[in-house]
């Protein structure tokens, strides 16, 4: 007699064995003819240039996180909308459930709107780079050296 956890373990072991057997068979029957063309890095059919460790602008990540936030919001709104429309639930509670659910969702969307307003106010959604303010502090370092450093990191 096998318990529930035992059947899960057997299923897992069977899956791992199946995977190993299939990869072993594939290794035996596939051709192995490496050449310089196959071993080169593929980059749209052109030879790669420069360093592969390119740093992306942080704005891409911020916009992706905001998109993810509102995508998850829709995941929560859809089941709410399907349950909220059930007439039987509204009749059982004499309409109190409907008002509570509606207020609860307005609160949820309001909190997310505050988060969006905060990100907007902080400038996380602006794609135009702000102008650098030139300092009037006198320094012993010549300004052209600062210009070279700034040009290097732009």
């Amino acid at each position: 007699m096998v318990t529930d956890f035992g059947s899960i373990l057997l299923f897992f072991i069977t899956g791992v064995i199946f995977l190993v057997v299939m990869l072993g068979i594939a290794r035996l029957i596939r051709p192995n003819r490496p050449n310089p063309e196959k071993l080169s890095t593929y980059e749209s059919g052109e030879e790669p240039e420069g360093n592969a460790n390119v740093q992306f602008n942080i704005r891409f990540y911020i916009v992706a996180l905001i998109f993810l936030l509102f995508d998850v919001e829709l995941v929560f709104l859809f089941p709410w909308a399907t349950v909220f429309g059930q007439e039987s639930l509204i009749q059982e509670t004499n309409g109190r459930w409907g008002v509570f659910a509606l207020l609860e969702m307005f609160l949820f969307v309001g909190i997310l709107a505050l988060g969006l307003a905060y990100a907007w106010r902080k400038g996380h959604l602006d794609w135009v780079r702000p102008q650098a303010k030139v300092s009037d502090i006198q320094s012993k370092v010549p300004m052209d050296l600062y210009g070279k450093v700034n040009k290097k990191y732009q």
Side-chain angles (χ1 to χ4, degrees):
M1 192 77 178
V2 178
T3 65
D4 291 336
F5 289 112
S7 62
I8 293 171
L9 180 64
L10 286 175
F11 184 74
F12 180 74
I13 291 172
T14 305
V16 169
I17 290 172
F18 181 74
L19 178 70
V20 169
V21 168
M22 288 296 122
L23 288 174
I25 292 172
R27 185 179 180 112
L28 289 175
I29 64 174
R30 73 174 178 232
N32 187 11
R33 293 184 291 259
N35 60 34
E37 187 68 27
K38 286 183 181 179
L39 297 175
S40 70
T41 304
Y42 180 74
E43 186 177 309
S44 304
E46 297 183 15
E47 289 297 319
E49 295 178 5
N51 189 1
N53 296 328
V54 178
Q55 291 187 352
F56 289 99
N57 195 334
I58 191 69
R59 293 181 188 133
F60 289 114
Y61 298 111
I62 292 173
V63 169
L65 285 173
I66 291 172
F67 170 77
L68 186 64
L69 173 76
F70 285 99
D71 198 35
V72 170
E73 173 193 5
L74 287 178
V75 168
F76 286 126
L77 280 176
F78 182 74
W80 170 83
T82 56
V83 172
F84 183 68
Q86 290 183 1
E87 192 173 332
S88 61
L89 283 175
I90 295 172
Q91 288 177 354
E92 285 178 15
T93 59
N94 297 328
R96 290 183 305 227
W97 182 84
V99 172
F100 174 72
L102 189 63
L103 291 176
E104 184 180 40
M105 195 47 60
F106 276 135
L107 179 68
F108 177 68
V109 172
I111 291 171
L112 289 173
L114 283 175
L116 178 64
Y118 175 78
W120 197 335
R121 179 76 175 121
K122 285 291 190 177
H124 294 304
L125 301 177
D126 295 336
W127 285 99
V128 178
R129 181 174 284 185
Q131 296 295 326
K133 296 179 182 176
V134 179
S135 175
D136 58 350
I137 297 174
Q138 299 298 322
S139 173
K140 295 179 182 178
V141 179
M143 287 302 289
D144 61 336
L145 289 178
Y146 287 120
K148 288 179 184 177
V149 170
N150 288 337
K151 187 181 288 186
K152 180 180 177 182
Y153 291 107
Q154 281 183 348

